[in-house]
Amino acid sequence: MSDNRFDEELLIIEAAKNGNAKAHKEIYERYASSMMSVCWRYTGDLETAKDLLQDGFIKLFAKLDTYAGTGAFAGWVRRVFVTTCLEYLRQKSALKMSSSIDDYAYSLPEGDITIVEKISADELMALIAELPEMSKAVFNLFVIDGYSHAEIAEILGITEVNSRTLFLRARKSLQKSVQELENYGRQ
């Protein structure tokens, strides 16, 4: 981002902190589309994603004064929305596990990842949306949002081994689903 654009964004953020409705609207318009896809990724449901989008913006504007302007605002916005989605999933108990998976082996065999290149982004997102809630959350946090397994463990209240295991299971499930799509396409 150029210095002028960064300076402009800081001015908009400062105006929004002071309650300027036009600045709130500008922030909403800049980030609504990308944050909607974050919400959809975590829920897999359009109506729930729309609700979380609104909840996320309410939280964002309520917490705007905590943004110090030292890091990328886009990253801070994303963190607010990821947290909003995870709070929703916790509230509906989707992230609660009935038994620990710490004791299970998590060295799953590697698959052919190159087949992912043969499907569309929409097809891949639909497959991710079909994952079990906890696996979907870990997969999104690790692959798409760039959190480490230690960070994911802390965020979700699980162990690091659980995070790694859930990620490997999600990846294996996606590889299988992608392979099935490819095999179906050949018939």
Side-chain angles (χ1 to χ4, degrees):
M1 180 183 305
S2 69
D3 285 341
N4 288 342
R5 179 150 174 143
F6 180 74
D7 291 342
E8 176 193 342
E9 186 167 65
L10 286 177
L11 289 173
I12 292 168
I13 294 164
E14 197 56 41
K17 284 181 180 181
N18 292 323
N20 182 305
K22 230 174 145 179
H24 284 160
K25 182 179 181 206
E26 178 67 26
I27 290 170
Y28 181 87
E29 288 174 352
R30 285 186 183 194
Y31 292 99
S33 177
S34 58
M35 293 307 106
M36 179 62 181
S37 52
V38 167
C39 295
W40 183 79
R41 250 187 314 111
Y42 279 91
T43 64
D45 176 69
L46 184 60
E47 291 307 312
T48 303
K50 288 177 183 178
D51 290 343
L52 289 174
L53 180 72
Q54 295 309 312
D55 291 348
F57 274 107
I58 290 168
K59 287 180 184 178
L60 182 139
F61 292 129
K63 296 180 178 199
L64 198 54
D65 60 335
T66 65
Y67 175 68
T70 55
F73 184 64
W76 185 84
V77 169
R78 177 177 290 277
R79 184 172 286 266
V80 168
F81 278 86
V82 167
T83 301
T84 300
C85 292
L86 292 174
E87 286 171 354
Y88 165 78
L89 292 173
R90 272 191 208 102
Q91 286 174 354
K92 74 172 224 169
S93 300
L95 294 181
K96 293 190 176 159
M97 298 177 59
S98 59
S99 63
S100 174
I101 57 174
D102 278 339
D103 300 328
Y104 296 96
Y106 61 93
S107 56
L108 298 174
E110 295 292 320
D112 181 11
I113 297 179
T114 59
I115 59 177
V116 171
E117 297 169 3
K118 298 177 183 176
I119 66 171
S120 73
D122 287 341
E123 288 172 315
L124 183 58
M125 293 307 287
L127 293 175
I128 292 169
E130 292 175 8
L131 290 170
E133 294 296 333
M134 185 67 118
S135 296
K136 179 172 35 182
V138 170
F139 187 85
N140 282 323
L141 286 165
F142 185 74
V143 174
I144 299 172
D145 295 319
Y147 287 89
S148 70
H149 285 293
E151 292 169 318
I152 294 168
E154 185 177 329
I155 290 167
L156 298 179
I158 60 176
T159 67
E160 197 171 330
V161 171
N162 278 357
S163 177
R164 291 179 191 281
T165 302
L166 287 164
F167 168 71
L168 290 172
R169 286 181 179 175
R171 186 178 73 181
K172 182 71 175 170
S173 175
L174 289 172
Q175 288 170 342
K176 181 180 177 192
S177 296
V178 169
Q179 185 66 53
E180 288 171 359
L181 273 178
E182 183 174 282
N183 289 343
Y184 180 75
R186 288 184 193 161
Q187 294 175 357

